[in-house]
Amino acid sequence: MATFKDFRNSIKPNWCPGCGDFSVQAAIQRAAANVGLEPDNLAVVSGIGCSGRISGYIKSYGFHGIHGRSLPIAQGVKMANRDLTVIASGGDGDGFAIGMGHTVHAIRRNIDITYIVMDNQIYGLTKGQTSPRSEVGFKTKSTPEGSVESAIGIMELALTAGATFVAQSFSTDLKELTSIIEAGINHKGFSLINVFSPCVTYNKVNTYDWFKEHLVPLSSIENYDSSNRMMAMQTLMENKGLVKGIIYQDKVKPSYQDLAHGYSKKALAKTDLNLSEEKFNELMTEFM
Amino acid sequence: MIDQLSWKVGGQQGEGIDSTGEIFAMALNRLGYYLYSYRHFSSRIKGGHTNNKIRVSTSETRSISDDLDILIAFDQETIDVNVHELRDGGVVIGDSKFNPTVPEGLNVRLYSVPFTEIASELGTSLMKNMVAIGATSAVLGLPVESYLEVVEEIFARKGAKVVEKNMEAIQKGADHFNELSGGQIDGFQLNKADGKKRMFMIGNDAIALGFVAGGVRFMAAYPITPASEIMEYLIKKLPEFGGTVIQTEDEIAACTMAIGANYAGVRTITSSAGPGLSLMMEALGLSGMTEVPLVVVDTQRGGPSTGLPTKQEQSDLMAMIYGTHGEIPKVVMAPSTVEEAFYDAVEALNIAEEYQCPVILLTDLQLSLGKQSVEPLDFSRVEIRRGKLVDQELPDTDDKDGYFKRYEVTEDGISPRVIPGMKNGIHHVTGVEHDETGKPSEVAANRQKQMDKRLRKLKNLRFNVPVVKQGQHTDPDILLVGFNSTRGVIEEAMPRLEAEGFKVNHAHIRLIHPFPTDEMKPLIDSAKTVIVVENNATGQLASILKMNVGQHEKIKSLLKYDGNPFLPSEVVMKCKELV
Ligand SMILES: Cc1ncc(C[n+]2csc(CCOP(=O)(O)OP(=O)(O)O)c2C)c(N)n1
Ligand code: SF4
Ligand SMILES: [Mg+2]
C-alpha cells in the first residue's frame, strides 16, 4: 500500500513561499494514498498557470498541457483507460476564463474524473491581472481603476449545468480538503472541487485572514442536506458563494462511461486493435 | 454503343435530388460500371438549387466530365443553370408539372414527363424521383429490373408493397418516355460493364473505414462540412468494438481530448475542415512538443474564414505545413484517390505512433465527398505498427525519483514510449521544454538536445510512394504536378495533350511534408515546363515546390478557386496557353 510519501518527488516547487497551492498538492497526495491508489494508477493533468505546475510536483503520471485545456485532455485520458484515476487541476483563469467552455461541458458530460481548481481570484503566473473570480472593484494591473465585470458564481453555475459533485474548500484546511478530494475521487462521475488557494504575492484582498473571516462551513449549517440541489443553490446565494464543504452530490446519476452506448467495460487501452478479415469483409460489403 | 456518359439530376435542395442520384448510381455500380459523382450543394438544408452529376463509364474514372449527356430536371432553374453543359444532341427530361422549356438555338432534345403526376397517381408524389429514374433507364436502354435489388434494399423495411410501388413508378417512367420518343433513341446505349463487385463510397467513408481497420477506438470531434461523415461512420461502428465517439464543445476540446486519449494508449483521431483546424493549432504544437501521436484529418473546403463551406478548394496547404507556433516535427499526407485515402488512414496512424508526432491527413472536398466506384480493398495491406511503444514490464529506473526517461535522447530521436498505468513507467509530459524524464527545464544545453532530438525524428521518415509518377518521357514538354483530388482530371488531360503533340509526365504529391525533394527534383529537372494544378488563388503547392527544388523560372501555376473542381478541358486549354 502506497503512503502519501510515495506520491512525492524531489522537485522543489517554484511557488512563492506561503502560496496556497502547496497545501493543495499535499492534500492530493494524502487523498491519493488514503483511497488506496498506487502512483502508477494516477494521472494528474494540469493547465497553465502557477497552479498548473502541480502535475510535475506529484509523483504519478503527469500531463501539463496548454492553458485552459486540462479538462479535455483529462477526459481523453479517462476515456482511453477507465482503470486510471484521473485528476485535472489548474487555476481560476485556466478553468473559468480561457477554459470555461470545457468546464461547463465537462460538468454536463459527467465523465468520472476529479477537477481541482486552485482559485486565487487572480492571474498569478502572468503577474497579477484580474480573473473571472475577481470581485467588482478589485484593483489589479489590468484593472487599475477596479474591475467592472461581475465575478462568476462558479458553484451556482456548476449546479445549473447539471453537476453531480460540487464542493469548495480552503487550502489551509488540509484535513477537510483531503477528505473532500477523497470523496471526489470516489464519486462516480465528474467532481468539481474549487479550492480557495491564496496568492500571497498579487492578491492583497483575498488573503488567508480574509477567507478565515468570510468562509462559512456547511457543517455549521443545521440540517444541511448535500443531496438537495435547491438547498445547495439557496445556501450559496445566501452566502455569496463563500461556503466550504461538499455543497451538492448526486449519488444516483450514472457517469458518462456507464451511459455511453457500446463503450467497453475493459479499459480501451488494453483492448485488441486488430480486426478479423471476416469482419473487414463485412464492413466492405456494406458499401457494395 | 458508348463507353461513358454523364447524367445529372437537379432541383431544389431537400427535394430528394441526392437519393435520385444515389439510386441511379448504386444500380449501375452493381452492374459493374465505374461511377464518379459530383454534388453541387449549398450550405442550407431546404431550398436553393442543387444537383448531382454522375459519370458512368466502363473503365475507371476519377474526374467529372466536360459535358453532359442527360439532364433530369425537377424545376426550370435546373434547366436554366445546367443546359449549357449538355452536348450536342443531349437529352433533357423535365417534370411536366413546370412546363419545361429549353432556350432556342440549342441542339438538345427535350422530353416532358409527368414525374409528379405519375407518382401521385401511384400514391405519393415522393416517388417522382423513381419515375425520373425510369425515364433515364429508357434513354439508356437499361432493363427496369436493374433497379430491383437496390430498391428492395432501400425499401425493404417499409414492406413489399412499397417496393412494388416504387418499381411500378420506375416502370411507368420508362413506359412514358418510350411513348414520347417512339422507341430507343440513338447514342445513349452503354457497352456492357464487367459485372464486377465494387464499393460505391466517398473518400470520407474510406478514411473512416481505414480508421476502424487501423485500430482507432475513440474519436473526439465537432461537426463540420465536409468532414462530418467520418465522425458519423465511427459513431455507428466504434461501439461494435467497444469504442466510442464524443461530440465535443469545440475543436480545441476535440484535439486536446484526442491528445489525452492517445497519450493514454488508444488510437484516437479527430477530423475537421479549415475553421476547425485553425482552432486546433495550439494543440498541434502540444502534440509535437510532448511527442504524443495524433492524427487529424483536414478535409479542405473553400476558405478563408467560413469561405465557401460546401465548395472545392485546396488552400489549407501552407497552414497545415506551418501551422502552430514554434517548430515541431509534423507529417502532412495527401491521398489522391479514395483507395489511397483508406490505406493512408491506416498508415497515418502507424506513422503517428512510430514517429510520435502529429500527422495531418489532408483531403479536399471533392475527394472527401465525391462518391465513386472503388475496387475492393486489400485487407492484407492493413498493418498495425506502434513503433517504440513499450509493451513489456519495465525494470526499476536509475532516476532518483524513479521517473522513466520518456524523452531519452536517442540516435533516431525517437524515445521509448510508455502509457499511464505501467509500473516503473511514471514520467511527466509537458508542453514546456523538458528534460529526458519530462521535468521542465530551461537549461540551454538541454533545450538544444531536446529540440534536435524532436526534429531529427523525421529525417529518416519511411513513406510508401511519396509521389505518384505517371508518364515515361525522359524529356517531357510538360510535367503536371498536383495533390489530392486533381489526380483524375490530370490523368484525363494527359492523353489529350499527348494527342496534340506534347510529351507529358505527371507527378502527384502524396507526402506534402516533409517535402519529398529527392523524388521531385529529377522530375522537375528533366521537364521543359512544370505546371502545378491546384484549387487555390496563390499557388501554394507551386511555392512549396520552388522553395524546396528551386527552378523558379520553369514552374508555372494553373489555378482555379471559384469553388468548382477543374474540368479536363480547362486543364488542357490552360496548359497550352502556359507552355
Ligand atoms: C493561450 C494562452 N494565452 C495566455 C497565456 C498566458 N497565461 C499563462 S497562465 C495565465 C493565467 C494564469 O492564471 P490562473 O489560471 O488563475 O493560474 P494561477 O497562475 O493564478 O495559478 C495566462 C494568461 C498562455 N499560456 N496561453
Ligand atoms: S504568484 Fe501567487 S499564485 Fe503564483 S506562486 Fe506566487 S503566491 Fe502562488
Ligand atoms: Mg489564479
Side-chain angles (χ1 to χ4, degrees):
Chain A
M1 269 273 286
T3 71
F4 73 92
K5 288 186 183 148
D6 294 311
F7 291 89
R8 284 182 181 166
N9 62 29
S10 65
I11 302 169
K12 208 175 148 286
N14 61 4
W15 292 318
C16 309
C19 175
D21 297 351
F22 284 102
S23 315
V24 180
Q25 177 196 332
I28 293 174
Q29 288 163 327
R30 277 161 204 265
N34 292 352
V35 298
L37 293 176
E38 294 295 326
D40 44 55
N41 283 322
L42 171 65
V44 177
V45 180
S46 63
I48 302 296
C50 295
S51 45
R53 287 287 180 139
I54 199 162
S55 59
Y57 303 152
I58 293 171
K59 187 178 169 189
S60 71
Y61 282 90
F63 196 130
H64 182 222
I66 43 180
H67 193 27
R69 319 300 167 198
S70 73
L71 281 175
I73 295 172
Q75 291 170 87
V77 173
K78 184 70 183 186
M79 288 305 289
N81 188 344
R82 63 192 301 169
D83 296 345
L84 290 174
T85 294
V86 180
I87 292 177
S89 55
D92 45 323
D94 197 75
F96 308 145
I98 191 166
M100 183 53 128
H102 307 311
T103 301
V104 174
H105 291 283
I107 289 171
R108 49 180 283 272
R109 196 169 287 132
N110 202 33
I111 290 176
D112 187 10
I113 61 173
T114 303
Y115 183 33
I116 300 168
V117 181
M118 286 154 267
D119 180 2
N120 52 14
Q121 294 85 11
I122 198 144
Y123 284 13
L125 190 68
T126 45
K127 301 196 187 329
Q129 297 85 2
T130 186
S131 115
R133 292 284 287 157
S134 307
E135 287 300 336
V136 171
F138 188 62
K139 286 190 175 167
T140 68
K141 269 199 192 125
S142 58
T143 52
E145 305 302 325
S147 172
V148 294
E149 296 174 33
S150 305
I152 287 171
I154 189 64
M155 297 286 96
E156 295 90 321
L157 186 144
L159 285 178
T160 56
T164 56
F165 186 103
V166 182
Q168 196 156 249
S169 192
F170 181 30
S171 66
T172 50
D173 296 343
L174 191 57
K175 238 176 100 186
E176 183 204 61
L177 178 56
T178 304
S179 77
I180 287 180
I181 294 174
E182 286 170 33
I185 292 173
N186 287 328
H187 176 71
K188 299 270 171 286
F190 184 80
S191 32
L192 171 63
I193 304 171
N194 191 55
V195 187
F196 293 112
S197 176
C199 169
V200 293
T201 306
Y202 295 111
N203 192 336
K204 304 296 183 191
V205 176
N206 311 103
T207 59
Y208 285 99
D209 286 340
W210 188 91
F211 282 111
K212 273 189 197 118
E213 192 182 315
H214 287 87
L215 281 177
V216 178
L218 291 173
S219 54
S220 70
I221 298 175
E222 219 175 312
N223 297 325
Y224 186 78
D225 176 7
S226 64
S227 70
N228 185 333
R229 217 168 101 178
M230 187 80 92
M231 186 184 281
M233 187 61 106
Q234 189 170 355
T235 309
L236 281 167
M237 295 185 112
E238 281 167 4
N239 294 283
K240 295 191 179 120
L242 291 169
V243 300
K244 62 193 199 76
I246 295 176
I247 297 166
Y248 178 70
Q249 183 172 16
D250 178 345
K251 293 184 177 170
V252 181
K253 191 175 183 223
S255 70
Y256 183 94
Q257 297 105 291
D258 290 331
L259 293 173
H261 162 67
Y263 180 60
S264 167
K265 294 266 178 287
K266 184 176 167 189
L268 271 188
K270 295 170 192 159
T271 56
D272 184 17
L273 302 190
N274 292 289
L275 225 62
S276 70
E277 182 159 9
E278 199 188 340
K279 182 74 204 173
F280 181 72
N281 288 335
E282 189 187 311
L283 293 176
M284 272 206 301
T285 311
E286 290 175 358
F287 291 103
M288 285 178 171
Chain B
M1 296 291 256
I2 52 174
D3 277 318
Q4 62 107 358
L5 65 74
S6 274
W7 177 91
K8 186 186 266 193
V9 56
Q12 292 292 302
Q13 222 151 257
E15 237 191 344
I17 303 307
D18 285 342
S19 65
T20 314
E22 181 86 6
I23 294 167
F24 169 72
M26 270 168 67
L28 284 144
N29 186 64
R30 296 273 174 99
L31 294 175
Y33 289 103
Y34 288 88
L35 283 294
Y36 185 88
S37 72
Y38 168 59
R39 274 172 67 210
H40 168 100
F41 65 113
S42 312
S43 200
R44 57 194 275 191
I45 305 304
K46 296 261 180 194
H49 174 69
T50 180
N51 68 59
N52 195 348
K53 183 172 178 179
I54 298 174
R55 191 173 189 184
V56 188
S57 172
T58 52
S59 58
E60 184 158 52
T61 171
R62 296 195 194 100
S63 159
I64 50 175
S65 57
D66 292 312
D67 55 12
L68 190 61
D69 297 278
I70 303 164
L71 177 64
I72 305 291
F74 284 104
D75 58 9
Q76 185 60 38
E77 187 183 355
T78 298
I79 299 180
D80 298 343
V81 174
N82 299 289
V83 75
H84 63 276
E85 253 180 77
L86 276 170
R87 70 161 164 87
D88 223 32
V91 164
V92 183
I93 313 175
D95 192 344
S96 312
K97 190 175 127 186
F98 66 89
N99 283 324
T101 56
V102 290
E104 268 171 52
L106 281 182
N107 179 26
V108 298
R109 288 176 264 185
L110 173 68
Y111 299 90
S112 174
V113 176
F115 297 154
T116 310
E117 200 186 312
I118 293 176
S120 301
E121 277 166 16
L122 286 170
T124 162
S125 63
L126 286 175
M127 288 190 301
K128 65 185 177 190
N129 56 350
M130 293 300 181
V131 182
I133 285 172
T136 302
S137 55
V139 185
L140 300 182
L142 276 180
V144 165
E145 294 72 52
S146 317
Y147 293 94
L148 183 61
E149 202 178 271
V150 174
V151 170
E152 272 178 343
E153 273 166 36
I154 294 177
F155 298 106
R157 271 188 306 129
K158 297 189 175 160
K161 189 101 192 115
V162 176
V163 171
E164 207 178 286
K165 281 275 173 215
N166 277 282
M167 286 307 295
E168 213 179 318
I170 296 179
Q171 184 67 55
K172 285 238 156 93
D175 293 348
H176 197 100
F177 184 87
N178 283 330
E179 240 167 73
L180 284 178
S181 64
Q184 190 73 63
I185 52 174
D186 282 343
F188 296 89
Q189 285 76 55
L190 284 160
N191 278 316
K192 223 172 134 57
D194 62 9
K196 284 213 179 103
K197 276 207 151 193
R198 292 186 187 90
M199 292 180 287
F200 183 53
M201 69 194 326
I202 59 174
N204 283 349
D205 292 331
I207 290 172
L209 182 60
F211 285 149
V212 171
V216 167
R217 293 297 176 262
F218 183 46
M219 175 182 194
Y222 191 79
I224 192 169
T225 304
S228 295
E229 293 79 7
I230 300 173
M231 177 183 183
E232 285 157 13
Y233 185 79
L234 293 189
I235 287 172
K236 254 193 314 197
K237 292 295 167 197
L238 284 189
E240 286 182 35
F241 307 97
T244 193
V245 176
I246 290 185
Q247 179 182 322
T248 53
E249 53 274 24
D250 57 33
E251 289 86 348
I252 299 177
C255 196
T256 47
M257 200 178 281
I259 290 172
N262 274 300
Y263 155 73
V266 172
R267 287 192 157 188
T268 304
I269 50 109
T270 186
S271 63
S272 190
L277 264 291
S278 290
L279 288 186
M280 293 179 195
M281 284 300 157
E282 189 189 12
L284 288 182
L286 178 68
S287 156
M289 184 62 152
T290 57
E291 307 193 40
V292 172
L294 174 71
V295 175
V296 181
V297 184
D298 176 24
T299 58
Q300 298 173 95
R301 64 185 212 182
S305 188
T306 307
L308 292 170
T310 62
K311 304 288 174 206
Q312 163 70 2
E313 201 164 281
Q314 302 178 313
S315 55
D316 293 353
L317 202 58
M318 290 289 189
M320 291 310 104
I321 297 171
Y322 298 110
T324 203
H325 57 282
E327 296 155 310
I328 58 162
K330 193 204 286 163
V331 177
V332 182
M333 30 200 301
S336 63
T337 65
V338 172
E339 284 90 338
E340 281 181 17
F342 169 81
Y343 297 112
D344 282 358
V346 180
E347 195 55 15
L349 297 163
N350 290 332
I351 291 175
E353 282 209 282
E354 284 182 320
Y355 297 91
Q356 302 176 9
C357 70
V359 177
I360 308 283
L361 186 61
L362 190 66
T363 72
D364 55 33
L365 185 134
Q366 185 50 22
L367 178 59
S368 273
L369 298 188
K371 204 160 183 175
Q372 53 196 287
S373 304
V374 177
E375 302 290 349
L377 300 159
D378 180 1
F379 183 66
S380 70
R381 279 180 63 190
V382 175
E383 162 186 47
I384 293 176
R385 306 189 310 269
R386 308 199 69 180
K388 291 192 186 176
L389 180 69
V390 178
D391 56 5
Q392 278 147 21
E393 273 184 35
L394 292 164
D396 291 347
T397 73
D398 51 13
D399 180 71
K400 66 174 180 302
D401 287 320
Y403 272 50
F404 177 79
K405 284 192 180 167
R406 169 67 184 93
Y407 301 105
E408 187 182 343
V409 177
T410 57
E411 210 178 302
D412 61 6
I414 305 166
S415 318
R417 175 172 151 245
V418 298
I419 59 171
M422 281 186 80
K423 210 165 156 24
N424 294 326
I426 284 180
H427 62 274
H428 192 238
V429 167
T430 172
V432 171
E433 189 57 275
H434 42 263
D435 67 14
E436 289 186 304
T437 61
K439 292 175 195 139
S441 164
E442 291 181 348
V443 176
N446 175 74
R447 156 68 170 189
Q448 217 152 329
K449 262 197 220 157
Q450 285 293 327
M451 195 71 179
D452 290 345
K453 162 194 140 50
R454 287 189 294 269
L455 295 178
R456 190 159 68 228
K457 291 193 290 187
L458 294 179
K459 287 266 149 60
N460 296 310
L461 173 68
R462 289 177 305 277
F463 191 90
N464 200 14
V465 194
V467 181
V468 175
K469 299 168 198 166
Q470 292 171 321
Q472 307 285 329
H473 304 288
T474 47
D475 55 345
D477 302 311
I478 304 172
L479 172 71
L480 287 167
V481 180
F483 72 110
N484 280 150
S485 71
T486 52
R487 167 132 169 220
V489 79
I490 292 175
E491 282 173 347
E492 197 148 334
M494 272 174 79
R496 295 197 206 173
L497 286 164
E498 294 265 350
E500 299 204 29
F502 297 100
K503 287 185 273 180
V504 189
N505 283 350
H506 171 202
H508 222 70
I509 304 181
R510 289 172 21 82
L511 177 63
I512 303 284
H513 189 77
F515 193 79
T517 307
D518 293 347
E519 296 259 340
M520 285 304 293
K521 199 170 178 328
L523 300 177
I524 294 195
D525 287 344
S526 68
K528 241 183 249 143
T529 304
V530 177
I531 298 178
V532 187
V533 182
E534 47 187 324
N535 284 124
N536 59 55
T538 55
Q540 298 187 25
L541 185 61
S543 299
I544 291 159
L545 213 55
K546 288 175 188 166
M547 205 173 102
N548 287 286
V549 184
Q551 304 268 31
H552 293 229
E553 56 306 319
K554 66 161 93 156
I555 296 176
K556 300 187 173 150
S557 281
L558 201 173
L559 307 174
K560 185 173 182 182
Y561 45 94
D562 66 358
N564 298 305
F566 283 102
L567 295 173
S569 59
E570 287 172 338
V571 175
V572 172
M573 204 179 70
K574 300 250 175 64
C575 278
K576 289 196 312 206
E577 278 168 31
L578 287 169
V579 290

